[in-house]
C-alpha cells in the first residue's frame, strides 16, 4: 500500500537508502534534513522524482511538514559517537 511518508534524516547514509526503497514501492517521500552530517549527493538522484520532496530544516525546531502522512521514519542522529560529542545539539535526540 502506498502512502505519504516522512523520512527524518533522509539525506544520511541509512535515510537515503530508505528513501530509495519507499519510492520503489510507490510511496510519496518527504525527506527532511539539515545536512549536518548527511550529503546532498545521497539524494541528488531523486531530485526529479515526482514522488520525492526535500525539505532542508533542523528537526530540533519541529517537523516542517504540512498535511497528512501515513508514517514517519527517524533516521537522524549521530552516525558516530564523535559526531554527537562534537555537536550534541545538532544530532540529539535522534539516535
Ligand atoms: N550507519 C550505520 O551502520 C548505523 C548502524 C546502526 C545504527 N545507526 C544509527 O542510525 C542513524 C543514522 O545513521 P547514518 O549512518 O545514516 O548517519 P548519517 O549521519 O549519515 O545520517 C543522519 C542524518 O540525519 C541528519 N540530521 C542530523 N541532525 C539533524 C537535525 N537536527 N535536523 C535535521 N537533520 C538532521 C544528518 O544531516 C544526516 O543526513 C544514527 O542514529 C546512527 O547512530 C547507524
Amino acid at each position: 500500500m502506498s502512502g505519504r511518508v516522512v523520512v527524518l534524516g533522509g539525506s544520511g547514509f541509512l535515510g537515503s537508502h530508505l528513501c530509495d526503497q519507499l519510492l520503489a514501492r510507490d510511496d510519496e517521500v518527504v525527506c527532511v534534513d539539515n545536512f549536518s552530517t548527511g550529503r546532498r549527493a545521497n539524494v541528488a538522484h531523486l531530485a526529479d522524482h515526482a514522488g520525492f520532496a526535500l525539505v532542508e530544516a533542523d528537526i530540533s525546531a519541529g517537523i516542517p511538514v504540512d498535511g497528512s502522512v501515513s508514517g514517519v521514519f527517524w533516521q537522524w542522529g549521530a552516525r558516530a559517537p564523535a559526531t554527537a560529542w562534537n555537536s550534541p545539539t545538532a544530532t540529539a535526540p535522534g539516535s
Side-chain angles (χ1 to χ4, degrees):
M1 185 174 72
S2 61
R4 182 170 184 250
V5 180
V6 177
V7 181
L8 305 175
S11 297
F13 175 70
L14 295 181
S16 58
H17 288 291
L18 179 59
C19 289
D20 288 340
Q21 292 301 312
L22 291 167
L23 290 166
R25 70 171 201 183
D26 287 335
D27 281 319
E28 183 183 340
V29 173
V30 182
C31 166
V32 183
D33 206 297
N34 69 351
F35 297 102
S36 56
T37 60
R39 300 174 59 218
R40 293 178 194 278
N42 286 346
V43 291
H45 63 290
L46 302 176
D48 294 329
H49 194 298
F52 182 75
L54 175 61
V55 178
E56 184 169 354
D58 184 343
I59 296 159
S60 64
I63 301 174
V65 177
D66 293 326
S68 61
V69 298
S70 51
V72 179
F73 289 90
W74 294 70
Q75 294 297 330
W76 68 300
R79 175 185 295 188
T83 307
W85 184 260
N86 292 329
S87 186
T89 56
T91 56
S95 55

